[in-house]
Each structure stands twice: as structure tokens, then as C-alpha cells.
Amino acid sequence: MTMRIGVVTFPGSLDDGDAARAARIGGAEAVRLWHGDPDLHGVDAVILPGGFSYGDALRCGAIARFAPVMETIVAAARGGLPVLGICNGFQILCEAHLLPGALTRNQHLHFRNRDQLLRIESTDTAWTNGYAPGQEILIPVKNGEGCYVADERTLDALEAEGRVVARYLEGNPNGSQRDIAAITNEAGNVVGIMPHPEHAVEALTGPSLDGLGFFTSVLRALAGAGAGGQHPGGQ
């Protein structure tokens, strides 16, 4: 049976089409979800895409977290539904308190758009189980508010619990604390990442195919969860 991955469109979403395409290339059926509709239409996982939801009014993701679809997603995520937030989606996950910390203005105050080398730190998540620990991947980064910040206690806990999913290599593009590019929740089913794996799934348009592993990993996690009767997080 083909797994179904929902991709949410908010007013101002930019990369929802790319995320849906990446899900299809990874082997899933992409299901378009609308911000104003709380129905998830029976999807097996959800992607919150990059862009500028609600024009980034107030703060990036601050209004999107109150969208009707997010009420359902938050409840489902706490029940084990795999959720991937990319760029603006990462910001929304933090605003919705599914992930700790916040994404703030880049320290150098400039929008940064480039191909970025990352190191995968944790493969114990629904979205990264197909990678090898320590694997280096090259995917695009494009953000103006991508600086991950949290208090020292939270940062220490993320490190100690193995919840830092990826770090920046060969230059931190936004000043994120401890070079953090991606994190996960305690269960491993919710991941937020600032760079864009959906832009590195085809040789024609991406710098590599390195992002595809996010979209194939979740199918592997879902298949394993179905066979074992467990939630699809990595822990």
C-alpha cells in the first residue's frame, strides 16, 4: 500500500509544490492539505513546507501555528504522527511548541542562499533513519531568520538526548547556536530542519540527491511501525 504524505499550504507558502514532488519521488502519494481545513484526510505523515506563511507577520510562523490544520497536526504529532518542518515549517513547529527553541534573524542580518554542507548527527528519527550517523550531505539553505537559539539548559538537553539531527559544516550560514541545522522531539517523529532537503532530490535541479533520504526514511519508518505496531519515531 502506498503511504500518503500530506503537505500543508499556508497563505505565503513557497515550497509546498517542491515538498509534494519530493514526497512523490521518494515513493509516497502526496496529499495537499489546506491551512483552513482541520481534516488531515487520513495521511500517514505531514510536511510543513518552506515559505513565508501569512507574510511572516508578527514573527515567522507565529500566525500559522493557530491555523485550523495545526490544531489537528499538533494533536496527531503528540500521538506519533511523523511531521517534518522545513525552514518556515521549522519555525512553525517551534511556535507550536512541538520543538523547543526559536528561529531568529540571521546574525549577519542578511538573507543567505547557498548550497550547504551538513553532518547528520542522529539517525534515530522517522525522517533520518536511512542515513548513516556522521554522513555528510549537501542541500540548499535559503533563509533570513534561520538562526536557531535556545537557553543553555535546552541546548545541553538536546545534545545529551541525541536530539540534534544535523549540524552545519564548513561555515554556519546564520549563526545558529552550536551549528544546529535540525532537531527532533523526544519521540523522534517530529523533525525541524532549516535547510531544504526537498531541493536536493533530482540531479537536474539540485546540488545533489542527498535530500531524498528524508522522504524515503519516513516511508521506511511507517512500514516498520505498521509491522511492529509501534509509532514511527526512531526511539
Side-chain angles (χ1 to χ4, degrees):
M1 184 178 70
T2 301
M3 299 297 180
R4 305 171 77 241
I5 297 180
V7 180
V8 179
T9 297
F10 299 95
S13 289
L14 175 65
D15 298 313
D16 45 339
D18 298 79
R21 181 173 177 80
R24 289 193 295 270
I25 292 172
E29 175 188 351
V31 179
R32 305 306 289 265
L33 303 177
W34 185 241
H35 71 106
D37 181 1
D39 190 349
L40 298 186
H41 301 281
V43 299
D44 301 293
V46 166
I47 298 172
L48 304 180
F52 308 90
S53 58
Y54 300 91
D56 284 346
L58 301 181
R59 280 187 317 278
C60 300
I63 297 178
R65 67 159 290 196
F66 293 108
V69 73
M70 283 304 299
E71 294 183 21
T72 312
I73 289 171
V74 168
R78 288 174 175 156
L81 181 78
V83 178
L84 176 67
I86 304 170
C87 197
N88 186 221
F90 188 3
Q91 295 162 342
I92 295 169
L93 290 176
C94 290
E95 290 286 344
H97 305 299
L98 286 174
L99 292 175
L103 285 307
T104 63
R105 185 71 179 161
N106 292 353
Q107 281 191 349
H108 46 66
L109 304 181
H110 296 286
F111 190 93
R112 185 65 77 231
N113 183 5
R114 72 187 191 197
D115 296 333
Q116 177 67 48
L117 193 66
L118 306 178
R119 182 174 62 241
I120 299 296
E121 300 281 13
S122 173
T123 58
D124 292 330
T125 83
W127 297 93
T128 57
N129 61 75
Y131 293 100
Q135 182 174 343
E136 296 182 6
I137 65 173
L138 182 70
I139 64 176
V141 64
K142 51 175 189 175
N143 62 73
E145 284 99 0
C147 179
Y148 181 76
V149 297
D151 61 79
E152 288 298 311
R153 181 177 179 181
T154 297
L155 292 169
D156 289 344
L158 289 172
E159 301 271 14
E161 295 166 12
R163 292 168 54 194
V164 175
V165 174
R167 292 186 207 272
Y168 297 112
L169 294 179
E170 297 185 1
N172 185 327
N174 45 43
S176 289
Q177 291 178 299
R178 305 193 188 183
D179 296 328
I180 290 174
I183 62 171
T184 187
N185 65 340
E186 292 181 2
N189 62 303
V190 177
V191 169
I193 181 168
M194 184 49 57
H196 289 261
E198 80 280 17
H199 294 331
V201 297
E202 294 180 289
L204 178 64
T205 57
S208 71
L209 302 181
D210 293 347
L212 189 58
F214 281 83
F215 306 97
T216 56
S217 287
V218 71
L219 300 184
R220 177 178 170 181
L222 288 165
Q230 299 175 349
H231 71 70
Q235 302 178 20

